[in-house]
Amino acid sequence: MRHLLVIIVVTGLVLPVPVCDPSVQFAPVPSDTAHDSEQVYGTDLSYDVYQQIDLDSYRDYIIKLTENGSRWTEFSDSVTFSDANVYARNWIIKTLDEVSQGRIETEILGDHKSVVGILPGWASDDAPVFMVGGHYDSAPGAPGANDDGTGVAAALELARVMSQYSWPLDIYFCFWNSEEIGLLGSREVAGILNDRHLDVLHYFNVDMLLVDDPDGDPDEQVLSVYNNYAPFHESKYYSYLLKALSNNIGINIVDPTPSSRFFGWQRSDHYSFVQEGYSQVSFLFESGFERDDSYHQPTDVWNNPLYNYTVATEAVKCIGASMAFVMAYAPSQLTHMDYEESLEPGQTRAYYIPISAPTNMTVYSNWTGGGLDFSLRSPSNLLIDEAQFSGSNMDSVEALGGSAESLALYKVVVSNPSSTPVVYDISVRYDVDLNGDDILDSKQYWFDPIMFSLDLDGDDLSDGLEKLIGTSRTDSDSDGDAMPDGWEYFHGLDPLTDDALEDPDNDTVLNLFEFGNSTDPQCSDTDQDALPDDWEIEHGLDPLTNDTAEDPDNDGFTNLEEYELDQDPNSPDMTTTTATSSTTEIGMPWGMVVMVAGMAAVVILVGILLLRRRNL
């Protein structure tokens, strides 16, 4: 009987059961670049970037930069460069090329020979850019490990990590010269970039990070000085974002500090950009300057016992994470901060959320192990919403919601009141306005928002979306395969590749004919009626309508029965009874009865043969 059972089971599997999920959505994918690096669109890689920034790598850059002593420059009628300064410049250019595998394009700008390396983005030539950097010269007699080896190493380490991806925006890695004699290098480059009409989204200036303040608050060990004379979204937002990410995924050491309360606001290279009209800057600086006795001294060496590389590297990690977080957003998608953690009994965890425009905030969570309490609090710690859940295994719970009206840091607090550990993930979703144009970023991208309301070629793809995915805005069939770009895109095909003769759902209906018949190229049974598209098309039925119970040839067999019996639904089939008695009393067609009886006879015969063989 074991063999007989197997035969019956196999016989029952002869009919294919197509499975199609109408909820599947195909997200827009940006067009390919000439590089093999991973292209970023709509994906938050802030944690990945944070994790890849490496303390040893960061410190090694400082060691290499300072091995030849002071990198001084002088200026009277012309610029004089020390040998160490020239060596550092050439080493920076070589290192940028090596760490990016040739992706970063470098140029030397101005009489003071500042170095700017550009990692090209894919979004648009007129999109804004990120900048990060510091100065590579040092004071006479000082090796300049802290001032400003920290800024040079920050830009190089970020170049190493960020160049592993293809970001939507250009990233400028900047190495200024002659900072120590009056910000001369950055001043002339700021003018050059302004003449080029460069649109800077934000510039992170790094200058001296290595001395912490052991007597200060643990969460104020690196100052992120913002331009408090600039609009919120240009400067203060980024200091708040650094603070949020340092708290949410790091060791929580960043202190947002207004420029009006910082003594050195005009003494580093970001200020050259402020003077040139670029107000979208921030300045990352050490908290322990008052005890930094190696400032401009020969003791400013990489292994100075006062230097804290953990704190400095954390600042660099947060800069990289911030750029990655900002470049994650996509049209029609809310910004979200997602984290996965665990809480011991009685433990509480707070997450900071930087709000750049009035928005609604929603908090979702899943957890196992015990109950959780949630609260949403305003910048002044006022309660906006709270909820308590006693369930120990909860899935996709909308835990909190509320309105955020102030441009500031909000806080989501999660507590474990139970007696057992709880593992949970949390997703905070909200909208942002990073360019301050009063259009929420979920409704636009890094170029003119009007493009998302235009469709010049009438292919059902907006011009903005065509720009994102690389299709033509004036040709409705970019790849010339006789299938419109919009139809291919929304059906999960590639509008940039001739795939007319491919068959992704394996129903023998090629993509071109799926388009002609309005069927789904990703689903072998578009109307979900158990009749495959190819069979319906071949027999003149409608693959878009459930017509299983119809009988177009009036032979007493429904379309489904004709398919199961491998008969033509448009040609009457012979029956063993009259037309008025083509079915049994239980409603089964006689043809099917004959087929089932025949199959049963075969099964019995095979079983008898197997039993005889066994008896032999």
Side-chain angles (χ1 to χ4, degrees), residues 155-222:
L156 289 175
E157 179 64 1
L158 286 166
R160 180 185 70 83
V161 173
M162 302 301 280
S163 62
Q164 297 176 34
Y165 307 89
S166 182
W167 303 95
L169 304 183
D170 291 357
I171 304 177
Y172 280 51
F173 302 97
C174 304
F175 307 85
W176 318 117
N177 209 3
S178 299
E179 188 268 359
E180 298 290 2
I181 56 175
L183 315 181
L184 300 183
S186 58
R187 186 169 300 164
E188 60 182 354
V189 175
I192 292 170
L193 298 182
N194 196 15
D195 290 342
R196 295 178 181 178
H197 305 291
L198 185 70
D199 183 5
V200 177
L201 185 63
H202 193 75
Y203 168 40
F204 298 95
N205 182 53
V206 179
D207 194 350
M208 301 175 60
L209 291 175
L210 287 172
V211 182
D212 61 355
D213 180 8
D215 298 325
D217 292 336
D219 62 347
E220 297 179 354
Q221 292 303 303
V222 170

Side-chain angles (χ1 to χ4, degrees), residues 485-562:
D485 293 341
W487 188 85
E488 290 199 67
Y489 172 78
F490 290 114
H491 286 89
L493 304 181
D494 185 353
L496 296 172
T497 301
D498 185 344
D499 47 8
L501 301 183
E502 295 181 7
D503 182 19
D505 59 2
N506 297 310
D507 63 356
T508 74
V509 183
L510 304 180
N511 289 336
L512 181 61
F513 297 101
E514 299 263 20
F515 167 66
N517 288 284
S518 299
T519 49
D520 187 345
Q522 305 290 347
C523 180
S524 61
D525 183 10
T526 300
D527 55 10
Q528 296 288 279
D529 61 357
L531 302 176
D533 290 344
D534 62 328
W535 190 84
E536 293 201 67
I537 293 171
E538 179 185 354
H539 291 91
L541 303 182
D542 185 355
L544 305 178
T545 302
N546 187 333
D547 47 9
T548 55
E550 296 181 10
D551 181 15
D553 57 6
N554 296 311
D555 63 355
F557 293 93
T558 65
N559 288 334
L560 180 60
E561 292 165 345
E562 301 265 19

